[in-house]
C-alpha cells in the first residue's frame, strides 16, 4: 500500500528572507516548474526520492532545478544543472510499491543555486530566492494587455490549451504571473521554458512571451489556411464523385451505358481483335483495366488511351502476299526502269527462293550512287513488283536517337519512333521500307541515330525490335529494307556491314 508522510504538509514553513539557505534539491529531466504552478511530480532516482523524504521530514520547501542533459543519470556538480530553478512547497507525497515517489508540488518563487553542500545520500544546495522585479509603469500595462489579447487569439486559433486559459489570463493582474502562465503551453520547448524562468526582469519576460505567442499564432493561422484549402479541395472532389455516381445511376435507370464504361468495353474488343501476341495482349488489357479505375477527368486517361490506340493500330498479323510470279515481276521491273540488270537480278533471285521456302530472311539492300539515278523510284518499283506496301523514311539531318526509337511514356506528348509510325501507316508488317539518305545521319549530344539503326537492320535482332514508347517487341524481320545514299564512306562501318551494297553509276 502507498504510505503518506508523517509530517503534516500544512505545517511546512516558507522562506521569507532574502538570504542564502540550505535546502534539499531534486534534479528534473525535461521539466521546468514555475512559481504558482501546481504540478504532479514522479521521481524514481534514489537521490531524488531521498531529497523529497528529507524535505517532508524537515518540513521545509524543496529546490527544483532542471538538469542540462536529460539522459544524465547521476548529478554530482552544480554545472550539470541550470543555475536558476524554482522554490516549491510539497503539497502531497505518496510512496508507491515500485519504490518511486509521486508528489504534488506548488512553485513559490525563483531561486539561484550557489553550490552543493552535500551530494550523498541526496543533493543539498545553497540557494537564494529571487523575487520578481515588477515595475508598475505604462510599458508593463501595455505589454500585459498585448499578451492577454495574444493569448485570446492563440486559444481562438486552436491552440492545444483549455479554452478557459483566455478567461484566466484576463483575470490576472500580476505581470510576472501572466508571463509565467504561458509556460503551460505544450508548444513551448524545455529550453524556451528555462529561458523564461531565467528572465527575472518582468518587462523582458513579457516581451519574450509576446514574441513566442506571435510566432505560434502565425503558425496556427498558416495551419488553418492549409487545412481550409485541403478541405475545400476534398469537398470538391467528393462532390464530383457523388455527382458522377448519381449520373451513372440515372443512366442505368434509362438503360444507357456509362460513356467511360462503353469506351472501355470498345477498347477491350479492339484489343481482342488486333491479333497481338499473347503477352502483348495481356499488357494491353492490363492498361485498359487500369484506365477503367481512373476518374475520367484525370489526364492519365488520355495517356493510357493513346498508348492502347497505338498498340491496337499496329499490323501485328496483317501481311500482304508476295507476288511470286517471276516473269510478271521481271516485266514490272523492266517497265519502270531500263537497264540496272544487277539490281533486278537480285530482286528476282529473292523471289525465286521464296517460291521454294516460305520463311527466309529479307535482304537489306543499299543503293549507292549520285543524285538523280533513280534510287528512290527503284524502291517503289520493287514494292510494285513484289505486290507489297511501300513506305519511305528520310534520314537526312536526323540527330536525335528518339526519332528512331521513340520517347518514353513519362514525357508529355511522347510518341513512338518513325520506324513504328511508318509501319502503322503501311498497314502491313512486311512492306518495302526505304531508308532514304542513310549517309546523311547526324550525331550530337541527343544520341546517335545510326547506332539505333543497327538493331533495325540486324536480322538476328530486328525480330524483337522494341520501341521506347511501346515497350513491347515488334517483329521487323519480314520487312524488306532498302537504304539509299550518295556516298558509302560516311555510313558507319557497323551499319555498312549489315547491308548488301549495290552501286548505281551516274
Amino acid at each position: 500500500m502507498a504510505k503518506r508522510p508523517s509530517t503534516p504538509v500544512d505545517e511546512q514553513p516558507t522562506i521569507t528572507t532574502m538570504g542564502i539557505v540550505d535546502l534539499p534539491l531534486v534534479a528534473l529531466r525535461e521539466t521546468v516548474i514555475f512559481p504558482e504552478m501546481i504540478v504532479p511530480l514522479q521521481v524514481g532516482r534514489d537521490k531524488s526520492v531521498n531529497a523529497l523524504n528529507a524535505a517532508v521530514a524537515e518540513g521545509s520547501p524543496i529546490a527544483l532545478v532542471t538538469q542540462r542533459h536529460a539522459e544524465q543519470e547521476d548529478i554530482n556538480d552544480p554545472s550539470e544543472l541550470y543555475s536558476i530553478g524554482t522554490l516549491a512547497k510539497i503539497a502531497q507525497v505518496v510512496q508507491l510499491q515500485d519504490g518511486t515517489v509521486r508528489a504534488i508540488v506548488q512553485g513559490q518563487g525563483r531561486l539561484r543555486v550557489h553550490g552543493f553542500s552535500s551530494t550523498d545520500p541526496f543533493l543539498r544546495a545553497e540557494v537564494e530566492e529571487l523575487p520578481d522585479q515588477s515595475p508598475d509603469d505604462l510599458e508593463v500595462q501595455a505589454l500585459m494587455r498585448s499578451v492577454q489579447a495574444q493569448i485570446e487569439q492563440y486559444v481562438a486559433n486552436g491552440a492545444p490549451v483549455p479554452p478557459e486559459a483566455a478567461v484566466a489570463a484576463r483575470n490576472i493582474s500580476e505581470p510576472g504571473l501572466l508571463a509565467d502562465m504561458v509556460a503551460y503551453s505544450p508548444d513551448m520547448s524545455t529550453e524556451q521554458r528555462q529561458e523564461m524562468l531565467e528572465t527575472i526582469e518582468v518587462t523582458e519576460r513579457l516581451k519574450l512571451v509576446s514574441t513566442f505567442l506571435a510566432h505560434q499564432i502565425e503558425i496556427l493561422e498558416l495551419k488553418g489556411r492549409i487545412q481550409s484549402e485541403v478541405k475545400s479541395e476534398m469537398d470538391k472532389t467528393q462532390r464530383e464523385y457523388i455527382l458522377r455516381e448519381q449520373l451513372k445511376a440515372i443512366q442505368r435507370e434509362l438503360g444507357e451505358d456509362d460513356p467511360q464504361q462503353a469506351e472501355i468495353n470498345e477498347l477491350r474488343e479492339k484489343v481482342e481483335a488486333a491479333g497481338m501476341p499473347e503477352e502483348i495482349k495481356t499488357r494491353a488489357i492490363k492498361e485498359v483495366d487500369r484506365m477503367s479505375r481512373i476518374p475520367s477527368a484525370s489526364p492519365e486517361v488520355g495517356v493510357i488511351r493513346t498508348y492502347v490506340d497505338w498498340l491496337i493500330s499496329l499490323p501485328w498479323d496483317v501481311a500482304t502476299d508476295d507476288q511470286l510470279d517471276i516473269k510478271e515481276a521481271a516485266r514490272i521491273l523492266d517497265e519502270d526502269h531500263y537497264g540496272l540488270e544487277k539490281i533486278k537480278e537480285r530482286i528476282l533471285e529473292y523471289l525465286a527462293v521464296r517460291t521454294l521456302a516460305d520463311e527466309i530472311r529479307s535482304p537489306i539492300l543499299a543503293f549507292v550512287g549520285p543524285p538523280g539515278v533513280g534510287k528512290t523510284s527503284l524502291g517503289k518499283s520493287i514494292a510494285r513488283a513484289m505486290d507489297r506496301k511501300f513506305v519511305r523514311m528520310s534520314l537526312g539531318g536526323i540527330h536525335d536517337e528518339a526519332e528512331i526509337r521513340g520517347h518514353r511514356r513519362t514525357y508529355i506528348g511522347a510518341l513512338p519512333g518513325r520506324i513504328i509510325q511508318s509501319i502503322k501507316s503501311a498497314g502491313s508488317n512486311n512492306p518495302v521500307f526505304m531508308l532514304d539518305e542513310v549517309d546523311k545521319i547526324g550525331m550530337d549530344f541527343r544520341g546517335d541515330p545510326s547506332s539505333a539503326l543497327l538493331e533495325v537492320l540486324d536480322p538476328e535482332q530486328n525480330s524483337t525490335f522494341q520501341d521506347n514508347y511501346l515497350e513491347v517487341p515488334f517483329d521487323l524481320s519480314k520487312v524488306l529494307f532498302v537504304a539509299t545514299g550518295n556516298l558509302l564512306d560516311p555510313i558507319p562501318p557497323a551499319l555498312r556491314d549489315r547491308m548488301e551494297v549495290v552501286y548505281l553509276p551516274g
Side-chain angles (χ1 to χ4, degrees):
M1 291 291 292
K3 297 182 290 183
R4 296 184 180 277
S6 55
T7 306
V9 174
D10 295 337
E11 297 178 8
Q12 291 184 12
T14 59
I15 295 179
T16 56
T17 64
M18 295 294 292
I20 296 176
V21 294
D22 187 70
L23 291 176
L25 184 145
V26 172
L28 304 177
R29 288 172 167 170
E30 297 288 345
T31 304
V32 180
I33 308 296
F34 281 80
E36 304 301 328
M37 185 184 284
I38 300 174
V39 293
L41 198 65
Q42 188 159 335
V43 295
R45 288 181 285 187
D46 291 341
K47 286 187 178 181
S48 300
V49 172
N50 292 337
L52 278 172
N53 290 334
V56 172
E58 295 171 9
S60 68
I62 192 165
L64 303 174
V65 186
T66 304
Q67 60 189 60
R68 294 183 183 274
H69 304 289
E71 69 278 0
Q72 188 173 346
E73 189 65 29
D74 198 19
I75 304 296
N76 295 306
D77 191 86
S79 63
E80 296 167 349
L81 302 174
Y82 288 105
S83 59
I84 304 297
T86 306
L87 182 71
K89 180 176 73 173
I90 302 173
Q92 186 181 27
V93 174
V94 177
Q95 292 182 339
L96 305 178
Q97 290 180 341
D98 60 359
T100 59
V101 172
R102 183 176 296 161
I104 296 177
V105 296
Q106 179 181 3
Q108 289 188 306
R110 287 167 169 77
L111 59 81
R112 186 188 302 279
V113 178
H114 287 279
F116 289 166
S117 58
S118 171
T119 59
D120 196 63
F122 57 87
L123 296 176
R124 293 191 72 92
E126 296 175 347
V127 300
E128 176 190 2
E129 187 178 11
L130 303 172
D132 274 350
Q133 301 173 8
S134 52
D136 188 15
D137 55 16
L138 290 177
E139 183 182 11
V140 171
Q141 293 179 19
L143 281 170
M144 282 187 67
R145 291 185 182 180
S146 175
V147 169
Q148 286 169 338
Q150 284 178 311
I151 291 174
E152 288 182 358
Q153 190 176 357
Y154 180 53
V155 173
N157 284 341
V161 295
E164 296 80 13
V167 179
R170 277 288 172 203
N171 295 328
I172 293 176
S173 57
E174 296 181 27
L177 184 59
L178 177 65
D180 291 345
M181 176 190 171
V182 180
Y184 284 98
S185 170
D187 293 325
M188 187 172 280
S189 66
T190 303
E191 290 74 17
Q192 288 175 315
R193 288 192 176 102
Q194 183 62 36
E195 183 185 3
M196 207 166 80
L197 186 68
E198 292 178 0
T199 307
I200 308 301
E201 213 279 309
V202 173
T203 306
E204 292 301 318
R205 202 187 312 162
L206 285 169
K207 290 178 180 177
L208 195 66
V209 165
S210 181
T211 303
F212 167 78
L213 287 171
H215 180 65
Q216 292 302 318
I217 290 168
E218 188 176 352
I219 291 175
L220 289 171
E221 287 177 346
L222 181 60
K223 178 184 173 184
R225 282 200 301 271
I226 293 171
Q227 288 179 340
S228 176
E229 289 173 5
V230 171
K231 185 176 183 298
S232 174
E233 189 63 32
M234 287 179 63
D235 289 346
K236 180 183 176 184
T237 305
Q238 191 173 10
R239 179 173 172 272
E240 287 180 358
Y241 173 77
I242 292 171
L243 288 174
R244 290 187 189 282
E245 290 301 313
Q246 290 175 345
L247 181 61
K248 288 178 184 177
I250 293 169
Q251 286 171 338
R252 281 196 299 269
E253 289 296 325
L254 294 173
E256 298 176 357
D257 288 335
D258 176 18
Q260 186 181 7
Q261 190 58 45
E263 184 181 12
I264 297 297
N265 295 336
E266 181 187 356
L267 277 178
R268 281 203 180 94
E269 292 172 4
K270 287 182 177 180
V271 169
E272 292 291 343
M276 304 176 190
E278 197 58 38
E279 63 274 10
I280 298 172
K281 183 164 72 172
T282 304
R283 171 76 178 269
I285 292 293
K286 184 178 178 182
E287 290 292 329
V288 173
D289 289 341
R290 190 160 72 93
M291 177 180 165
S292 67
R293 293 191 295 270
I294 299 175
S296 58
S298 171
E300 186 71 12
V301 171
V303 175
I304 297 173
R305 176 64 198 255
T306 304
Y307 175 73
V308 175
D309 281 343
W310 270 102
L311 289 178
I312 292 169
S313 62
L314 289 176
W316 298 96
D317 63 347
V318 179
T320 55
D321 294 328
D322 284 349
Q323 165 66 263
L324 298 179
D325 188 338
I326 307 297
K327 290 182 180 180
E328 179 63 19
R331 187 191 65 79
I332 293 172
L333 290 172
D334 289 336
E335 182 181 295
D336 290 344
H337 292 84
Y338 178 78
L340 305 175
E341 298 300 332
K342 190 174 180 181
I343 296 171
K344 294 176 182 177
E345 182 182 346
R346 182 66 185 89
I347 299 301
L348 295 175
E349 185 181 289
Y350 169 71
L351 291 175
V353 175
R354 275 298 311 274
T355 60
L356 302 175
D358 290 335
E359 295 293 333
I360 63 169
R361 289 179 182 175
S362 297
I364 299 170
L365 303 176
F367 299 155
V368 179
V373 297
K375 298 186 294 295
T376 304
S377 63
L378 190 57
K380 293 180 181 177
S381 181
I382 292 170
R384 195 161 76 90
M386 297 179 67
D387 200 18
R388 288 193 182 191
K389 300 290 183 67
F390 175 79
V391 286
R392 174 182 167 274
M393 172 181 168
S394 179
L395 299 175
I398 286 182
H399 289 78
D400 193 353
E401 178 255 350
E403 290 279 347
I404 308 295
R405 288 185 177 276
H407 292 89
R408 299 201 176 275
R409 280 198 291 157
T410 50
Y411 295 101
I412 296 174
L415 285 173
R418 289 172 64 181
I419 297 288
I420 293 296
Q421 290 184 35
S422 298
I423 294 292
K424 177 191 172 185
S425 64
S428 70
N429 60 14
N430 64 339
V432 174
F433 199 124
M434 175 157 282
L435 302 170
D436 223 354
E437 310 293 354
V438 74
D439 58 333
K440 296 177 178 61
I441 297 176
M443 181 177 67
D444 63 6
F445 65 92
R446 287 169 291 186
D448 182 7
S450 63
S451 298
L453 279 176
L454 293 176
E455 181 185 1
V456 176
L457 300 180
D458 189 338
E460 295 295 333
Q461 299 181 45
N462 63 10
S463 60
T464 56
F465 173 73
Q466 189 155 319
D467 187 272
N468 288 334
Y469 179 81
L470 296 182
E471 295 181 330
V472 293
F474 189 87
D475 186 3
L476 296 177
S477 63
K478 299 175 184 177
V479 178
L480 175 57
F481 286 101
V482 178
T484 70
N486 299 128
L487 299 170
L488 192 61
D489 292 341
I491 302 174
L495 192 59
R496 194 188 314 155
D497 291 344
R498 284 166 168 74
M499 300 185 289
E500 294 182 31
V501 180
V502 180
Y503 291 95
L504 278 74

